[in-house]
Amino acid sequence: VRLVPNPFFLEVRRDYAIARRGLPPANAILFMSEPVSYGESQILEDTLAFFAEHISGADFIIRFHPRESKNKHDVLIAKYRRRLHIIKSRRPFIVDDLARARAVIGMESVALVAAVLCRKKTASFIPDVSRSLRLPFPQIRLVRSAKGLSILL
């Protein structure tokens, strides 16, 4: 038996280090959108409302899952645009968004693992108490309500 490092993990760390070069301190909140069956739009709305209340004017990046329309959350974005600087990511590589983020929120995306590898404060927002976090990384904090997002402040 031989232990071999995960090549994905190595690539994420290397590419992140390259993406961070020359950037100002990371200060944005990054939301990893993904098509889930338990209310992604409500999770995003709760997240936007929380940060609009606690960090008004903050940069808030929404990174869409490749299967999602880039216009999916336009109504929510319009609702919170006056209190947050909301950016729809169009960057092809996840590390480019991670390089600008100080905290990352998602549901169950493997992108949360990439965030942990880049040493970001990371939360999995799953309000359904019957669901558990299936990503085996203790650095990913499971939150059940918007109030739980305070761990990212």
Side-chain angles (χ1 to χ4, degrees):
V1 175
R2 188 174 76 164
L3 180 62
V4 177
N6 185 317
F8 170 71
F9 292 2
L10 296 173
E11 183 179 332
V12 166
R13 287 183 181 122
R14 181 197 68 220
D15 292 351
Y16 174 77
I18 292 167
R20 275 293 311 144
R21 286 187 194 146
L23 290 180
N27 202 31
I29 306 299
L30 176 58
F31 182 85
M32 299 290 192
S33 182
E34 63 181 293
V36 294
S37 61
Y38 48 86
E40 180 203 359
S41 291
Q42 187 61 54
I43 291 169
L44 177 58
E45 180 156 20
D46 291 349
T47 300
L48 290 169
F50 177 84
F51 286 105
E53 180 181 337
H54 291 87
I55 314 176
S56 187
D59 287 342
F60 193 95
I61 303 167
I62 300 174
R63 182 174 181 85
F64 291 90
H65 187 277
R67 292 190 321 231
E68 292 180 307
S69 163
K70 302 290 187 254
N71 301 320
K72 180 177 181 182
H73 299 298
D74 283 352
V75 172
L76 284 176
I77 291 169
K79 182 176 178 180
Y80 290 94
R81 188 157 258 153
R82 290 182 186 200
R83 295 190 287 162
L84 294 168
H85 179 235
I86 301 173
I87 303 157
K88 290 189 211 179
S89 175
R90 301 214 185 277
R91 297 175 183 268
F93 303 110
I94 192 170
V95 293
D96 293 328
D97 288 328
L98 290 169
R100 299 182 306 158
R102 65 183 178 96
V104 180
I105 304 147
M107 281 71 66
E108 298 180 278
S109 171
V110 74
L112 296 177
V113 173
V116 166
L117 294 172
C118 298
R119 297 191 172 123
K120 302 297 177 180
K121 289 183 181 180
T122 306
S124 173
F125 191 164
I126 304 174
D128 182 348
V129 294
S130 69
R131 296 185 74 89
S132 61
L133 178 59
R134 296 182 286 193
L135 298 170
F137 288 82
Q139 303 93 325
I140 301 173
R141 304 291 303 271
L142 176 61
V143 298
R144 299 291 188 184
S145 68
K147 185 177 179 181
L149 294 172
S150 62
I151 63 168
L152 300 177
L153 295 176

